[in-house]
Amino acid sequence: MIHRLLLTVIVALSLFRCTPKVSLTEQDVATSWADMSLYITKNTPANTPTYASRCLGYIGLTMYESVVPGFALYQSLAGQLNGLESLPKPDPGKTYDWRLALNAGQAHILKRIYNQTSDANKHRIDSLEALVFQHFDETITDKAVAERSVRFGRAVAQQIFEWAVRDGGHRAYLKNFD
């Protein structure tokens, strides 16, 4: 609840061209996107519990896979899940900002998975993505790092979405049942 309040204050201040001095953490980015995912899930038409749980699985996988290369103790699930043989890998020796990769990946997968959501909801997704990007981009001196991170997050999300299309549940919201 506090994360939602914090995000609401930041968005409100940014709409009035004020620059809030708020420090977002990696956890704030992840929980803000989790909150957004739940909001979109609840506020998207033609959604069933089965379809929503499928979507949340792909959204969660995207969140994990967009940051896992930055953590040596963890490994990708590519090659361990049926049909998901590989995912994009970061360029060796290059620096990434995993917060920006997560941010871009979540925005991309949410708009693809819930393509039937309203334009207002798509605007909410775009606004959160822009807000998080702006906050962290200001701290990055090498803009190539930001661009590379965003491209990586989107590439992971796109590949997971393409994999999701092949599971038989893509666009299942068109065939809802009780």
Side-chain angles (χ1 to χ4, degrees), residues 3 8 32-33 38 41 62-64 66 71-72 81 99 102 114 143 166 172 176:
H3 293 291
T8 303
S32 293
W33 278 110
L38 293 175
T41 298
T62 301
M63 185 179 284
Y64 178 78
S66 66
F71 300 91
L81 300 174
R99 301 164 301 189
L102 183 150
Y114 282 120
K143 296 307 176 190
R166 298 188 308 260
N176 280 334

Side-chain angles (χ1 to χ4, degrees), residues 100 133-134 136-151:
L100 294 181
F133 179 83
Q134 179 182 5
F136 290 112
D137 184 54
E138 292 173 356
T139 65
I140 298 173
T141 55
D142 183 356
K143 296 307 176 190
V145 170
E147 292 170 14
R148 186 170 40 252
S149 302
V150 168
R151 272 195 319 271

Side-chain angles (χ1 to χ4, degrees), residues 79-165:
Q80 299 180 58
L81 300 174
N82 290 339
L84 186 64
E85 300 308 318
S86 66
L87 285 170
K89 294 181 180 12
D91 293 331
K94 302 260 176 130
T95 302
Y96 288 79
D97 186 299
W98 300 111
R99 301 164 301 189
L100 294 181
L102 183 150
N103 185 53
Q106 289 299 281
H108 192 84
I109 195 71
L110 261 173
K111 288 191 287 186
R112 299 307 178 285
I113 288 284
Y114 282 120
N115 67 318
Q116 81 275 22
T117 200
S118 68
D119 288 342
N121 283 347
K122 289 175 185 173
H123 180 71
R124 283 177 178 266
I125 294 167
D126 291 339
S127 295
L128 178 57
E129 180 183 23
L131 181 71
V132 172
F133 179 83
Q134 179 182 5
H135 181 81
F136 290 112
D137 184 54
E138 292 173 356
T139 65
I140 298 173
T141 55
D142 183 356
K143 296 307 176 190
V145 170
E147 292 170 14
R148 186 170 40 252
S149 302
V150 168
R151 272 195 319 271
F152 179 77
R154 287 182 183 153
V156 167
Q158 183 60 34
Q159 195 153 342
I160 289 173
F161 176 72
E162 289 169 8
W163 176 59
V165 168

